[in-house]
Amino acid sequence: MARRAAAQLPFSGGPGPGFGEVVDICRDLIRIDSSNYGDSSGPGERAAAEYVATKLSEVGIGSTLLEPEPRRTNLVARVPGRSGPALLVHGHLDVVPADPALWAVHPFAGEIIDGFLWGRGSIDMKHMVAMILTATREMRRRGVQPQRELVLAFLADEENAFTLGSRWLVNNHRELIDDCTEAISEVGGFSVQIRPDQRIYLLESGRKGVAWLRLTAHGTAGHASITSPRNSIGVLSAAVARIAEHQWPLRLTTVSGQMTRTLAELGAPSVLGDPEALQNTVLAPVAGMLTSSLRHVANPTVLKAGHSLNVVPDSAEAYVDGRFVPGYQEEFLDELSFIIGPDVSIDVIDLTEADQADPDASLVSRMQTALAAEDPGCKVLPYTSSASTDNASFAGIGIQGYGFAPLKLPPEYSFSSMFHGTDERVPVEALIFGARVLYRLLTGEDPHSSRAGS
């Protein structure tokens, strides 16, 4: 395990490139391949973490680098604040793999085309890492302290199961984050244009739980030319088909209920029905995210069986990614077990509890204020994410987590399709906007002031 002590280093301040440097930082990060293949076969996060450490060091902020395994690197740093409990500001450095043959441009080239920065991680989530670095560097250049002490964490392994990242940090170095009461990270703060005169910014204030399951069916092995009354693949396939076809009912929470009511009051299309019905509406860019947040989801993702065309295998396996609404974990697991049936065994590979943060917290009010200062008339709308993030790990030790990576997006931009998608890209102007909003949130000061570095 590598470790370097954090420290506040001497820094004289002075003018800098301003918030526009967020584009260069994000492009540099995209060009660092930190693909996570679900094991340790990839390049790891070390090169990206060392880049972040250098950017912090340039403005006098020392870092602690921690590696649970070689090249699987986490970084933690502190920025002294004026008062109040510490705020955890975090992002993950790993990205899902990308096949260059499927992309219009190379996924790790970091090219700017028609006002968009293209590349793997441009949305998930090196854009937020770049915004955090830019806002922090600008504070130091201007000689401004944040309102609260900041704990900056740049993490490994979010795209797998948090095992070498946020979970490992909580279990092995909790002392580095134990004074934090709230956290901000990804999958929130992005805009949706619901009317020509009204933009909303969806704030992630909760996350569905995760149940990764292995299903196993056993049968009788034999020659494939002979009738097989109990074929393990047949038994398993029937269970998998039932899961794929199951229609889960709506399960509204306090947050999602408030979200649906507010959308209705603003004249937006209803998210209570089929997501396909939203594809030609103003909510099309986020239809899948919002409708999936209102009900459980279970998707078969992997099948394993057999080794020879003429042999009936004695067992077959399937893997299922389950996501359950906060407050309904037991209901979800019980119903899924019933759907699968008694002939297939179920093993839980990973179970991450759902979590919710207070949508009425004062931090949320400050987010509204920071966004409205840069985009007058906008409205912040808390929602529950259909996916999980590193905030789930920190929720386990009482840190309330919010997704707030502010982006002012074009109406036609399909935000949800960028996550793990081909041709992932982020608008350049949205990056600069986000860095300014984040700076305003963390410092309470106007990023457009004439102080040094503006």
Side-chain angles (χ1 to χ4, degrees):
M1 178 181 74
R3 180 170 182 173
R4 185 167 72 226
Q8 295 299 312
L9 307 174
F11 179 64
S12 58
F19 294 97
E21 78 165 355
V22 67
V23 180
D24 292 330
I25 292 175
C26 190
R27 181 167 53 188
D28 290 345
L29 287 164
I30 288 169
R31 289 173 174 172
I32 300 171
D33 183 356
S34 53
S35 299
N36 187 343
Y37 294 94
D39 52 28
S40 292
S41 63
E45 298 85 4
R46 180 185 294 171
E50 289 175 346
Y51 175 87
V52 170
T54 297
K55 287 297 177 183
L56 292 174
S57 179
E58 287 173 355
V59 292
I61 299 173
S63 304
T64 299
L65 288 152
L66 301 156
E67 289 190 338
E69 292 181 4
R71 305 186 318 278
R72 307 309 305 274
T73 313
N74 300 277
L75 181 152
V76 180
R78 278 186 177 259
V79 182
R82 287 173 240 163
S83 63
L87 176 66
L88 177 60
V89 184
H90 62 95
H92 64 85
L93 298 173
D94 61 325
V95 298
V96 295
D99 182 355
L102 301 177
W103 285 57
V105 299
H106 195 285
F108 299 108
E111 293 190 32
I112 296 177
I113 303 172
D114 297 330
F116 287 82
L117 174 58
W118 291 57
R120 176 58 86 219
S122 54
I123 284 294
D124 190 11
M125 64 168 293
K126 289 180 176 178
H127 76 297
M128 178 59 165
V129 173
M131 288 193 285
I132 295 169
L133 288 173
T134 300
T136 304
R137 285 162 61 85
E138 200 61 14
M139 290 178 213
R140 297 287 286 175
R141 285 192 288 254
R142 298 183 183 208
V144 173
Q145 272 196 322
Q147 295 184 88
R148 297 164 62 172
E149 178 152 336
L150 303 181
V151 177
L152 309 181
F154 301 94
L155 303 163
D157 207 28
E158 193 274 349
E159 296 294 3
N160 184 26
F162 321 143
T163 307
L164 304 176
S166 55
R167 280 186 179 174
W168 182 85
L169 189 67
V170 165
N171 292 330
N172 294 275
H173 291 283
R174 180 169 169 173
E175 74 281 359
L176 297 175
I177 56 174
D178 215 20
D179 59 337
C180 298
T181 57
E182 294 168 305
I184 58 175
S185 188
E186 61 174 332
V187 202
F190 54 92
S191 71
V192 181
Q193 188 93 34
I194 60 171
R195 294 197 312 258
D197 63 340
Q198 182 66 70
R199 230 180 333 264
I200 60 171
Y201 286 82
L202 288 164
L203 169 69
E204 185 203 68
S205 62
R207 286 142 293 277
K208 291 171 74 176
V210 181
W212 285 355
L213 309 173
R214 179 174 57 245
L215 313 184
T216 306
H218 294 281
T220 303
H223 199 287
S225 66
I226 300 174
T227 300
S228 178
R230 183 173 172 79
N231 186 306
S232 62
I233 295 178
V235 173
L236 182 69
S237 297
V240 167
R242 290 193 295 272
I243 295 169
E245 294 167 359
H246 186 68
Q247 299 296 310
W248 296 92
L250 285 169
R251 288 292 180 263
L252 296 182
T253 65
T254 302
V255 170
S256 59
Q258 177 183 325
M259 178 195 74
T260 57
R261 289 191 298 273
T262 303
L263 284 173
E265 291 167 2
L266 294 172
S270 173
V271 296
L272 297 177
D274 186 347
E276 291 297 320
L278 297 174
Q279 289 311 306
N280 294 317
T281 74
V282 293
L283 293 181
V286 292
M289 297 176 69
L290 295 187
T291 56
S292 296
S293 73
L294 306 180
R295 49 177 53 82
H296 307 314
V297 172
N299 275 311
T301 54
V302 178
L303 291 170
K304 294 182 179 180
H307 58 82
S308 179
L309 186 59
N310 64 345
V311 177
V312 175
D314 64 352
S315 65
E317 290 183 348
Y319 292 78
V320 173
D321 186 332
R323 310 287 172 133
F324 51 88
V325 174
Y328 292 92
Q329 175 178 317
E330 185 175 351
E331 174 196 81
F332 170 74
L333 293 175
D334 286 348
E335 186 163 355
L336 190 59
S337 179
F338 177 79
I339 295 165
I340 292 167
D343 296 329
V344 177
S345 64
I346 305 171
D347 295 308
V348 176
I349 299 171
D350 184 78
L351 186 64
T352 301
E353 293 186 2
D355 67 281
Q356 299 183 88
D358 182 4
D360 298 315
S362 60
L363 178 61
V364 176
S365 297
R366 292 197 295 273
M367 291 172 181
Q368 170 74 64
T369 300
L371 278 167
E374 296 290 327
D375 187 7
C378 73
K379 184 176 181 61
V380 170
L381 185 59
Y383 84 110
T384 299
S385 174
S386 59
S388 190
T389 73
D390 283 317
N391 271 330
S393 299
F394 301 124
I397 57 172
I399 299 175
Q400 292 204 86
Y402 300 90
F404 188 73
L407 293 172
K408 183 181 177 183
L409 300 171
E412 69 282 0
Y413 177 82
S414 181
F415 179 74
S416 60
S417 70
M418 294 296 133
F419 285 85
H420 301 185
T422 302
D423 293 338
E424 183 182 352
R425 57 199 181 274
V426 63
V428 167
E429 288 301 318
L431 279 173
I432 299 170
F433 171 88
R436 291 199 305 261
V437 172
L438 196 60
Y439 175 89
R440 191 185 286 272
L441 172 69
L442 297 178
T443 65
E445 301 211 359
D446 183 359
H448 302 281
S449 71
S450 59
R451 300 181 68 163
S454 62

